[in-house]
């Protein structure tokens, strides 16, 4: 990125410098630790230089990081006060810019360099080895989290640019997909039906002209066998085409399927939640799974009610078909080939999904399939996992600094039991954050449960220190609430998340207020304290929930929806071609092929009845077979010609579009044309 910085590049350094100066003044103007004039000027100079350098953080992120690291370290050594917010703040902003605008290797090297300089600068300022080690761990977690956030933003920006370009080419991809599918279908039709039907015409016509009953019988048998083969192949092709809906959406495809079973006496309830366009492969697999599951329910649980549930989630489609237990034991008909569940599972696994089927405990049967709606997946761990690990480390390290590090050392003189309990709680409340993306509600519930247990235990022990540590661990609750807002299903209400996370705070306030009475617990103040604690926590947690909702709505799901939209557009063109071929085959070719088989079988039956003594009926059957084969070939060729005409028309349109684009580019680069 080149050019002079914009207005937005000045805003962040200005706000940051003001906050640093004000915070440093408030933290260091106490009576016991005032800063002298020289130290104040040194700190002020370092703050201003670092933030002035941040103006160019997008233009030259690596040099800016070098300036902020060097000047910040010099300022820390000059001020020599751990409470002065001189270094480390601008470094983090500069490091974020490096991670956003540079590759992973540069971001990792920059993170290591910033941490090393930070540790060397603070070594003379901080206390003993224990304090330095604890602070170094917190600094490492913070800087790694900043780098991970920057790299994630870099990846997201690159992905958005790629998807934006692909969206602009979606129409071209749609046409190309339609052309490729049209060519494939035409080739399959010619290979499957053209050769076989032509052979039937030739053989049947030749045999009908000869007075040879044995030859006529062989020709009829060959015609019947060939017709069955063609019919089977074309039927398989029609089946691959999928359901008969023109738009290929499950909310359109499934109701007729369910109504068809209802007419057969099977009560079917259908619910579709959050419908949107999908890849045709996903739509077809979901339709076939529901179709097979309903067939099994009708076969093995006759008369039992069936519930079909289809839920569109973020990146996955969930299909559940559950039937109740039949009212009475009935004999199972000997139908099917025993491949129903295996076939459904193969369909799901072919898309990278899963399928489970089995009894539900009440005598019924449930089939559940989860099908990925996006064709692309991110293999292996990456920066999201690095960010989650850094968040867990920070949520453990920050309270630990106040609990075990000088000068406060809240738990320094505590017995081993409460100390181990505090350590377990610090770790236990942070570990669920590892699952915050996949199961945000479970992560939030685990954090709230640990915090509530901590508040009760601390209250029974009359420990204000333990209560303080509960409040100091608020970042874990903030991250959990943000994750629910960002990653939970959009169709599920998420506003209770801040309230759930706030309940342990209210409980801590209530217990603390009750224990302040020296004569015994005062239960009259518990309810007001509980309400006050919850309200205070809501003020802190609600912005994180709102932030997650905004990011989840605009960022996290944007890529998934863009991929699904592109795949659906190209897939809909493919589906349209398949649908047209299916309709053409069903309306004409399959009908003539079926008549061909019947004519051949009728001729064979008549020949068998006459014991092979008369060839008149056989010749008439051969003529009919030949006519039906010719009619099927004629209709199939008409279908192929129509497809070829569409392809020629599309090719002409593509050539015209390319000429228009060239003319537009030439006009842009031609000064005379531009002036005109």
């Amino acid at each position: 990125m080149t050019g002079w910085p914009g207005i937005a590049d000045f805003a962040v350094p200005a706000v940051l410098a003001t906050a640093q100066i004000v915070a440093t003044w408030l933290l260091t103007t106490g009576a016991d630790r005032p800063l002298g004039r020289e130290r104040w000027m040194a700190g002020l100079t370092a703050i201003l230089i670092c933030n002035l350098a941040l103006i160019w953080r997008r233009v030259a992120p690596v040099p800016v990081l070098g300036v902020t690291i060097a000047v910040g370290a010099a300022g820390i050594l000059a001020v020599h006060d751990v409470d002065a917010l001189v270094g480390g703040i601008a470094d983090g902003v500069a490091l974020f810019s490096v991670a956003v605008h540079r590759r992973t290797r540069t971001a990792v090297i920059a993170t290591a360099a910033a941490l090393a300089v930070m540790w060397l600068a603070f070594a003379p300022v901080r206390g003993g080895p224990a304090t330095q080690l604890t602070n170094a761990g917190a600094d490492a977690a913070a800087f790694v989290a900043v780098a991970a956030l920057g790299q994630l933003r870099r990846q997201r920006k690159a992905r958005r640019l790629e998807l934006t370009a692909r969206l602009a080419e979606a129409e071209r991809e749609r046409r190309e997909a339609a052309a490729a599918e049209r060519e494939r279908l035409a080739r399959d039709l010619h290979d499957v039906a053209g050769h076989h039907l032509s052979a039937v015409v030739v053989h049947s016509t030749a045999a009908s002209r000869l007075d040879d009953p044995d030859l006529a019988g062989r020709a009829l048998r060959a015609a019947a066998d060939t017709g069955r083969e063609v019919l089977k192949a074309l039927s398989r092709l029609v089946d691959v085409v999928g359901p008969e809906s023109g738009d290929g959406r499950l909310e359109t495809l499934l109701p007729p399927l369910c109504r068809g079973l209802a007419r057969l006496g099977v009560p079917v309830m259908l619910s579709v939640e959050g419908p949107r366009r999908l890849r045709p492969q996903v739509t077809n697999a979901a339709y076939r799974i529901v179709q097979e599951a309903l067939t099994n329910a009708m076969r093995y649980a006759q008369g039992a009610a069936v519930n079909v549930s289809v839920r569109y989630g973020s990146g996955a489609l969930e299909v559940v078909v559950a039937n109740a237990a039949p009212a009475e034991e009935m004999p199972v008909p000997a139908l099917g080939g025993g491949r129903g569940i295996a076939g459904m599972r193969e369909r799901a696994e072919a898309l990278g999904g899963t399928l489970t089927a089995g009894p539900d405990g009440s005598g019924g049967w449930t089939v559940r399939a989860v099908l990925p709606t996006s064709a692309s997946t991110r293999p292996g761990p990456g920066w999201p996992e690095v960010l989650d690990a850094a968040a867990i480390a920070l949520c453990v390290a920050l309270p630990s600094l106040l609990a075990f590090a000088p000068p406060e050392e809240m738990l320094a003189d505590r017995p081993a039991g409460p100390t181990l309990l505090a350590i377990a709680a610090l770790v236990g409340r942070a570990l669920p954050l590892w699952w915050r993306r996949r199961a945000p509600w479970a992560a939030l519930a685990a954090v709230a449960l640990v915090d509530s247990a901590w508040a009760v235990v601390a209250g029974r022990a009359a420990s204000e220190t333990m209560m303080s540590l509960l409040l100091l661990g608020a970042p874990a609750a903030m991250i959990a609430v943000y994750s629910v807002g960002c990653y939970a299903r959009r169709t599920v209400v998420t506003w209770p998340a801040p309230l759930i996370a706030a309940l342990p705070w209210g409980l801590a306030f209530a217990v603390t207020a009750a224990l302040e009475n020296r004569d015994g617990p005062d239960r009259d103040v518990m309810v007001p304290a509980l309400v006050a604690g919850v309200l205070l926590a809501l003020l802190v947690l609600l912005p994180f929930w709102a932030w997650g909702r905004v990011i989840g709505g605009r960022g996290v799901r944007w890529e998934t929806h863009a991929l699904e939209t592109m795949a659906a557009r190209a897939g809909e063109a493919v589906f349209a071609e398949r649908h047209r071929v299916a309709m053409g085959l069903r309306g004409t070719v399959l009908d003539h092929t079926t008549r061909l088989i019947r004519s051949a079988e009728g001729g064979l039956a008549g020949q068998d009845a006459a014991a092979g003594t008369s060839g008149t009926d056989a010749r008439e059957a051969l003529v009919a077979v030949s006519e039906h084969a010719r009619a099927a070939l004629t209709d199939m060729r008409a279908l192929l010609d129509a497809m070829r005409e569409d392809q020629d028309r599309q090719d002409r349109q593509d050539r015209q579009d390319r000429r228009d684009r060239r003319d537009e580019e030439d006009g842009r680069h031609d000064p005379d044309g531009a002036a005109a």
Side-chain angles (χ1 to χ4, degrees), residues 288-490:
R288 296 304 184 193
I289 288 172
V290 173
Q291 186 180 50
E292 181 65 29
L294 290 176
T295 301
N296 289 342
M298 180 176 62
R299 182 181 301 161
Y300 300 112
Q302 299 179 28
V306 183
N307 289 319
V308 179
S309 172
V310 178
R311 185 180 62 80
Y312 293 72
S314 177
L317 175 75
E318 182 184 48
V319 177
V320 179
V321 181
N323 63 268
E328 57 183 4
E329 291 291 336
M330 302 182 66
V332 177
L335 299 174
R339 288 276 302 163
I341 295 177
M344 290 188 290
R345 184 171 290 112
E346 288 173 1
R347 289 184 183 274
E349 292 176 351
L351 296 174
T354 60
L355 184 137
T356 58
D360 58 8
S362 61
W365 189 271
T366 299
V367 175
R368 181 178 182 271
V370 178
L371 308 177
T373 55
S374 177
S376 63
T377 57
R378 181 178 56 84
W383 284 107
E385 287 73 22
V386 173
L387 179 61
D388 292 341
I392 292 172
L394 279 174
C395 290
V396 174
L398 290 178
S400 299
L401 283 174
L402 296 174
F404 302 104
E408 302 296 337
E409 297 180 286
M410 294 181 181
L411 300 180
D413 299 327
R414 293 278 173 178
T419 301
L420 292 176
L421 179 63
I423 294 174
L426 288 173
V427 176
R429 79 195 310 179
L431 282 180
L433 297 180
W434 183 258
W435 293 275
R436 67 187 185 91
R437 301 172 192 270
R438 289 164 290 181
W441 280 108
L444 174 63
V447 171
L449 184 62
V450 172
D451 286 352
S452 299
W454 195 342
V456 173
V457 171
R460 292 177 63 87
S463 174
E464 295 183 2
T465 299
M466 301 285 275
M467 289 295 186
S468 300
L469 287 178
L470 172 66
L471 300 180
L472 291 173
M478 297 172 185
I479 295 174
V481 169
Y482 167 86
S483 300
V484 170
C486 185
Y487 300 111
R489 297 199 305 263
R490 306 299 289 180

Side-chain angles (χ1 to χ4, degrees), residues 570-607:
E572 285 169 0
V574 172
F575 193 94
E577 293 300 325
R578 294 179 178 180
H579 179 71
R580 181 173 63 166
V581 171
M583 294 300 99
L585 293 176
R586 285 192 178 100
T588 57
V589 180
L590 291 179
D591 180 65
H592 287 302
T593 304
T594 303
R595 292 174 183 270
L596 180 156
I597 297 171
R598 290 174 180 172
S599 298
E601 291 175 342
L604 288 171
Q607 192 180 50

